[in-house]
Amino acid sequence: QVISGGHYDVDCYVEDPTGRTLYKEAKKQYDTFAHHTELQGVYTFCFSNEFSTFSHKTVYFEFQVGDEPPILPDMTNRVTALTQMESACLTIHEALKAVIDSQTHYRLREAQDRSRAEDLNGRVSYWSVGETLILFVVSIGQVMLLKSFFTERRPGSGTAST
């Protein structure tokens, strides 16, 4: 997911160790890609910002490697029904996974909103400094103009008349 920068979009691709493209998307704000690896080696992924080189972007990505281990021992080889305690454990585990997903989502939204608020704060600060400078220039100009109204100019101030 793109957290900050530009129009919140980025290009992305994933390649396997042989160079075959497994995933390729352009100008996406967020997406999910699930893949079960069949080859050993180095998998390559790239986030590209070449269409928007002037705006820097922050990208969040998460890897989940491997299968989740079973909650209860011998869960895969079980023939009998789950006890009430085991069933409650599974329900709680699923609820906790949903909470973790929600927290991640809210953390990303908070980071996105913080970035926008900091950008807005910077713009407001620059605007305020500009207004302050204009206010000082205008006030100094008004003081000089008012002062010129009340000063008397004498023609030929160095000669005496008799």
Side-chain angles (χ1 to χ4, degrees), residues 113-128:
D113 293 341
R114 175 177 291 279
S115 174
R116 287 181 184 160
E118 287 175 355
D119 182 47
L120 184 62
N121 183 33
R123 290 180 186 202
V124 168
S125 296
Y126 286 132
W127 184 258
S128 297

Side-chain angles (χ1 to χ4, degrees), residues 6 12 19-20 33 43 46 58 90 112 121 133 139 151 154:
C12 178
R20 186 177 57 131
F33 171 67
Y43 284 76
C46 177
T58 304
L90 288 175
Q112 209 171 33
N121 183 33
L133 290 175
S139 63
T151 57
R154 298 181 196 160

Side-chain angles (χ1 to χ4, degrees), residues 66-99:
D67 293 329
E68 184 177 330
I71 304 291
L72 304 169
D74 298 330
M75 185 74 156
T76 56
N77 301 332
R78 190 166 199 119
V79 181
T80 62
L82 296 175
T83 65
Q84 188 175 3
M85 180 72 83
E86 291 170 337
S87 175
C89 285
L90 288 175
T91 304
I92 291 171
H93 179 72
E94 293 300 320
L96 286 176
K97 284 191 339 187
V99 167

Side-chain angles (χ1 to χ4, degrees), residues 25-150:
E25 288 292 330
K27 296 186 179 183
K28 294 288 265 187
Q29 181 179 359
Y30 63 90
D31 202 1
T32 301
F33 171 67
H35 176 71
H36 182 75
T37 59
E38 298 168 357
L39 301 172
Q40 289 187 353
V42 177
Y43 284 76
T44 306
F45 67 94
C46 177
F47 296 104
S48 174
N49 192 28
E50 67 182 356
F51 61 87
S52 177
T53 56
F54 292 112
S55 63
H56 299 283
K57 296 184 180 170
T58 304
V59 177
Y60 170 83
F61 62 96
E62 177 182 3
F63 283 114
Q64 293 179 349
V65 179
D67 293 329
E68 184 177 330
I71 304 291
L72 304 169
D74 298 330
M75 185 74 156
T76 56
N77 301 332
R78 190 166 199 119
V79 181
T80 62
L82 296 175
T83 65
Q84 188 175 3
M85 180 72 83
E86 291 170 337
S87 175
C89 285
L90 288 175
T91 304
I92 291 171
H93 179 72
E94 293 300 320
L96 286 176
K97 284 191 339 187
V99 167
I100 289 170
D101 290 342
S102 295
Q103 285 179 334
T104 301
H105 172 73
Y106 290 131
R107 240 183 278 129
L108 292 175
R109 292 293 301 212
E110 187 271 334
Q112 209 171 33
D113 293 341
R114 175 177 291 279
S115 174
R116 287 181 184 160
E118 287 175 355
D119 182 47
L120 184 62
N121 183 33
R123 290 180 186 202
V124 168
S125 296
Y126 286 132
W127 184 258
S128 297
V129 167
E131 282 185 336
T132 303
L133 290 175
I134 290 172
L135 183 69
F136 281 133
V137 168
V138 168
S139 63
I140 289 171
Q142 285 180 346
V143 167
M144 292 176 69
L145 183 66
L146 281 173
K147 188 177 178 182
S148 71
F149 287 156
F150 295 106

